[in-house]
Amino acid sequence: MTLTLELEKQKERSPVIAQTVFLGLGLAFFLFAPLFFYPIFLMKLLCFALFACAFNLLIGYTGLLSFGHAAFFGGAAYFTAHAVKEWGVPPELGILVGVLGAALLGAVIGFFAIRRQGIYFAMITLALAQMFYFFCLQAEFTHGEDGIQSVPRGHLLGFIDLSQSTNMYYFVLAVFVFGIGVIWRIINSPFGMILKSIRENETRAISLGYSVRSYKLAAFVMSAALTGLAGGLKALVFQFATLTDVSWQMSGEVILMTLLGGIGTLIGPLFGAGLVVTLQNYLATSEFPVTIITGIVFMICVLVFRRGIVGEFFNSRLGRKLGFEHRHSH
Amino acid sequence: MTMIFGIPLQAFLGQLLIGLINGSFYALLSLGLAIIFGLLRVINFAHGAQYMLGAFMAWLLLAHLGVGYWPALILAPLAVGLVGAAIERTMLRRLYTLDPLYGLLFTFGLALTVEGTFRYFYGASGQPYATPALLAGGTNLGFMFLPVYRGWVIVFSLIVCLGTWLIIEKTKLGSYLRAATENPVLVQSFGINVPFLLTLTYGLGAALAALAGVLAAPIYQVSPLMGSNIIIVVFAVVVVGGMGSIMGAIVTGYLLGIAEGLTKVFYPEASNIVIFVIMAIVLLIRPAGLFGRDA
């Protein structure tokens, strides 16, 4: 058993190194990006990229398709916004409230959802997230259709003024890097290997003595918490939390980002999120509804492009030559 | 005034009726989902969009061609069924060998595209559709006032559900469908055209959704969003019922509709989440669903 896992580790080591190089380049890009792009656009991109990576932890590395991640994203946005605005806590604590709230919500939804597999899992997460949506619609603290408006960004650690957009940007970047680091650590740990074994062959993982249910639940809660990190951050960036972020469309959006970039690759969701956010920004000024494009891209991805942009690149001749080998196909 | 559990009888029966109506739509839609899933192993996320298309076809036929309710009841499901069959033939078919999740994702994209297109052309607000003259008005049942059209919806949807059940359980075509659900390779080796059966099934499922849409047009507003609002609830219905049996889908649909209606009487705040709560409870007690066969 350990031998096969060890072998897998060996084989996957080279793409991990190459992916790290890419991440380094990406980090360099984001360090200087505010010189060329609007900070608010970059911050939105980073929030959604983190969201997609957290989502990918579940679909890509555990093989569970959640159709309800908007609950954690939008839920955390509400929790953080409420904590910062009504309780007056500093931003770092506000985000922590969002993360813990999302993790708790993840534990509850995950508890029910892991009782079924495959498409049932997807439908259950969708239904429970929709239930949370109705809760947010009626609950007092979310202010219904209005949402929580004009959330103060506050002072990080008491002295860094986040209302300055440069400060806010580098704070978002730092949180983003931290989040990606956590995800990288999870998928390259023995725990992550067991998750992959569940993805590849659940029955065999059970027969090897792993308590598959607890691993799934743990992965679900981790993914929810990291999604909460992205959601809480987004609430501070845009200074509001609304129903849009808990709607099922948002759950669909994060699936698209991950699928488009490449399910099961560390950096794929970053590209996917970048593309989708750019597209949305581009179409925001026109009358043309984004959902039509989103839907068509979805269909094309599923029909001819299942590995996603990064996955297809890894599988191309050039990708293989560079030492990327994306072994499992979907 | 007669009271039942401290609620006026009229209010109680009124909500029971609304529950039955909603239940009719849940039953019709979950029936179509179950048929499609049984044979194709695809969860048809576009089912809501096809329901919306049915309602919109009826509205468009009336507004632009002056074609009324009764022809629309046939034409709209036919058109949506044909479009569904074409989509199955050209695109959905390629996904059968893959993980069923891809079917879900593909039909999700399809739903988004269709919904977005109608939103673009007709806006998000609803369009009224007049009740057909033959079914206008209502009757006084003595204890409550029943609009004739609502009675018609309940009766007609029951007929359609039972008719579909009979076709699948009692006819030769139905036996082919059931056999192909169990073992498609074997059925094909007997010389039965299974790929054609698959196309037919998807078309039939889409047509059923469109039929429900036409039925819904005079009750609810015809809007591009009507499909996505209902489909998530229908998914919960399907999880509760389990997709193993056709009859299970029908019965669960009506039961949950009634449960929702009654919740509106006793605890209105929870009426739009009660089905999800029931789903969670069923998952705890009987994860495979009330009528489910799979583990």
Side-chain angles (χ1 to χ4, degrees):
Chain A
M1 173 202 81
T2 37
L3 185 71
T4 38
L5 285 183
E6 208 49 47
L7 275 175
E8 176 150 349
K9 213 171 186 175
Q10 291 278 320
K11 275 189 184 167
E12 292 206 346
R13 188 157 288 162
S14 54
V16 167
I17 292 169
Q19 287 192 2
T20 317
V21 170
F22 265 67
L23 278 180
L25 286 174
L27 189 62
F29 167 79
F30 277 111
L31 277 175
F32 297 104
L35 300 174
F36 310 104
F37 300 97
Y38 286 115
I40 197 91
F41 166 75
L42 291 169
M43 289 190 274
K44 183 179 176 189
L45 200 157
L46 287 172
C47 288
F48 276 99
L50 183 57
F51 182 17
C53 288
F55 171 78
N56 188 38
L57 183 61
L58 211 52
I59 175 77
Y61 294 95
T62 325
L64 296 171
L65 173 64
S66 160
F67 233 109
H69 257 50
F72 314 129
F73 188 66
Y78 275 130
F79 302 145
T80 300
H82 184 76
V84 170
K85 194 181 174 189
E86 304 295 332
W87 302 342
V89 304
E92 63 275 14
L93 213 60
I95 287 182
L96 188 67
V97 170
V99 171
L100 291 178
L104 192 68
L105 199 58
V108 174
I109 292 185
F111 173 75
F112 289 103
I114 56 163
R115 291 169 171 267
R116 299 302 303 270
Q117 293 153 334
I119 41 168
Y120 281 100
F121 182 89
M123 289 194 289
I124 293 164
T125 45
L126 176 65
L128 291 175
Q130 188 70 2
M131 189 168 146
F132 183 69
Y133 173 86
F134 283 123
F135 167 76
C136 290
L137 189 65
Q138 289 172 348
E140 202 106 323
F141 84 101
T142 58
H143 300 282
E145 304 271 355
D146 296 336
I148 304 178
Q149 303 279 349
S150 50
V151 177
R153 282 179 180 171
H155 288 70
L156 181 65
L157 303 172
F159 69 97
I160 303 170
D161 183 9
L162 291 183
S163 60
Q164 299 260 317
S165 86
T166 317
N167 290 352
M168 187 66 202
Y169 174 76
Y170 285 105
F171 172 56
V172 171
L173 185 61
V175 174
F176 171 79
V177 170
F178 167 76
I180 297 294
V182 170
I183 293 171
W184 188 85
R185 193 69 205 89
I186 292 172
I187 59 180
N188 287 294
S189 68
F191 174 80
M193 293 296 157
I194 294 165
L195 292 186
K196 282 181 208 169
S197 80
I198 295 173
R199 178 193 70 195
E200 295 301 323
N201 194 332
E202 187 170 339
T203 328
R204 190 173 290 178
I206 293 171
S207 73
L208 285 173
Y210 291 113
S211 162
V212 165
R213 266 200 184 177
S214 346
Y215 279 101
K216 278 186 180 173
L217 186 59
F220 197 85
V221 172
M222 285 177 193
S223 174
L226 285 159
T227 300
L229 186 63
L233 205 56
K234 188 190 172 238
L236 287 185
V237 168
F238 286 95
Q239 301 185 276
F240 59 74
T242 60
L243 285 169
T244 315
D245 291 344
V246 281
S247 67
W248 59 267
Q249 286 91 339
M250 185 58 76
S251 297
E253 221 164 82
V254 76
I255 297 175
L256 180 68
M257 289 172 184
T258 313
L259 183 68
L260 186 61
I263 291 173
T265 58
L266 186 61
I267 58 172
L270 306 183
F271 279 89
L275 273 172
V276 172
V277 170
T278 311
L279 182 77
Q280 282 172 343
N281 260 38
Y282 183 71
L283 287 175
T285 47
S286 77
E287 288 281 297
F288 201 72
V290 188
T291 45
I292 300 183
I293 307 272
T294 315
I296 292 173
V297 174
F298 240 111
M299 291 195 283
I300 294 174
C301 271
V302 173
L303 283 175
V304 293
F305 209 55
R306 281 181 290 276
R307 289 197 190 92
I309 296 166
V310 172
E312 294 289 348
F313 170 71
F314 284 178
N315 248 315
S316 68
R317 197 169 286 176
L318 179 68
R320 282 168 199 270
K321 212 174 249 178
L322 285 173
F324 295 103
E325 199 187 355
H326 190 51
R327 290 188 321 110
H328 61 90
S329 56
H330 281 270
Chain B
M1 200 192 305
T2 324
M3 304 286 272
I4 180 164
F5 303 126
I7 307 281
L9 186 67
Q10 265 83 353
F12 182 82
L13 290 171
Q15 290 303 335
L16 193 68
L17 178 73
I18 291 179
L20 257 179
I21 303 246
N22 286 343
S24 305
F25 292 117
Y26 296 157
L28 278 174
L29 291 175
S30 59
L31 170 69
L33 274 183
I35 294 175
I36 293 174
F37 180 76
L39 205 55
L40 279 67
R41 298 284 140 192
V42 167
I43 280 291
N44 185 26
F45 209 119
H47 218 63
Q50 284 152 352
Y51 163 82
M52 179 271 285
L53 271 180
F56 249 99
M57 290 285 284
W59 180 77
L60 287 171
L61 281 171
L62 188 66
H64 294 291
L65 301 172
V67 177
Y69 177 81
W70 300 104
L73 206 52
I74 309 219
L75 290 174
L78 197 68
V80 175
L82 283 176
V83 172
I87 286 169
E88 195 278 342
R89 264 266 124 112
T90 50
M91 293 183 266
L92 203 51
R93 167 151 301 185
R94 299 155 187 258
L95 306 175
Y96 293 156
T97 51
L98 304 167
D99 192 308
L101 289 174
Y102 284 109
L104 179 73
L105 292 178
F106 174 79
T107 49
F108 177 69
L110 184 63
L112 284 183
T113 312
V114 173
E115 197 181 283
T117 309
F118 275 78
R119 246 177 117 162
Y120 182 56
F121 286 110
Y122 300 100
S125 60
Q127 319 276 356
Y129 186 88
T131 309
L134 188 62
L135 301 171
T139 42
N140 199 339
L141 297 179
F143 52 89
M144 67 176 291
F145 181 78
L146 174 75
V148 174
Y149 187 78
R150 304 205 167 204
W152 153 254
V153 167
I154 295 173
V155 173
F156 185 65
S157 65
L158 259 177
I159 293 171
V160 172
C161 283
L162 292 177
T164 313
W165 179 78
L166 278 175
I167 289 174
I168 288 172
E169 295 294 325
K170 305 289 176 206
T171 65
K172 188 135 205 177
L173 175 68
S175 68
Y176 288 164
L177 286 177
R178 278 179 291 130
T181 304
E182 296 292 330
N183 193 337
V185 182
L186 196 62
V187 173
Q188 189 146 21
S189 71
F190 284 140
I192 292 162
N193 191 344
V194 172
F196 176 72
L197 273 186
L198 295 175
T199 309
L200 187 74
T201 305
Y202 192 75
L204 192 81
L208 263 177
L211 183 71
V214 182
L215 277 181
I219 297 184
Y220 310 114
Q221 299 250 301
V222 177
S223 103
L225 304 174
M226 66 192 285
S228 54
N229 289 338
I230 199 168
I231 192 66
I232 300 175
V233 179
V234 174
F235 277 171
V237 171
V238 158
V239 172
V240 171
M243 274 184 296
S245 96
I246 301 291
M247 199 41 119
I250 300 171
V251 172
T252 315
Y254 281 107
L255 280 181
L256 289 184
I258 293 170
E260 194 183 46
L262 293 186
T263 313
K264 238 173 231 156
V265 182
F266 296 109
Y267 188 49
E269 289 80 13
S271 65
N272 50 13
I273 62 165
V274 64
I275 290 184
F276 302 128
V277 174
I278 294 174
M279 180 191 81
I281 296 169
V282 167
L283 279 172
L284 283 182
I285 304 168
R286 214 182 131 82
L290 297 178
F291 299 87
R293 287 182 301 179
D294 49 349

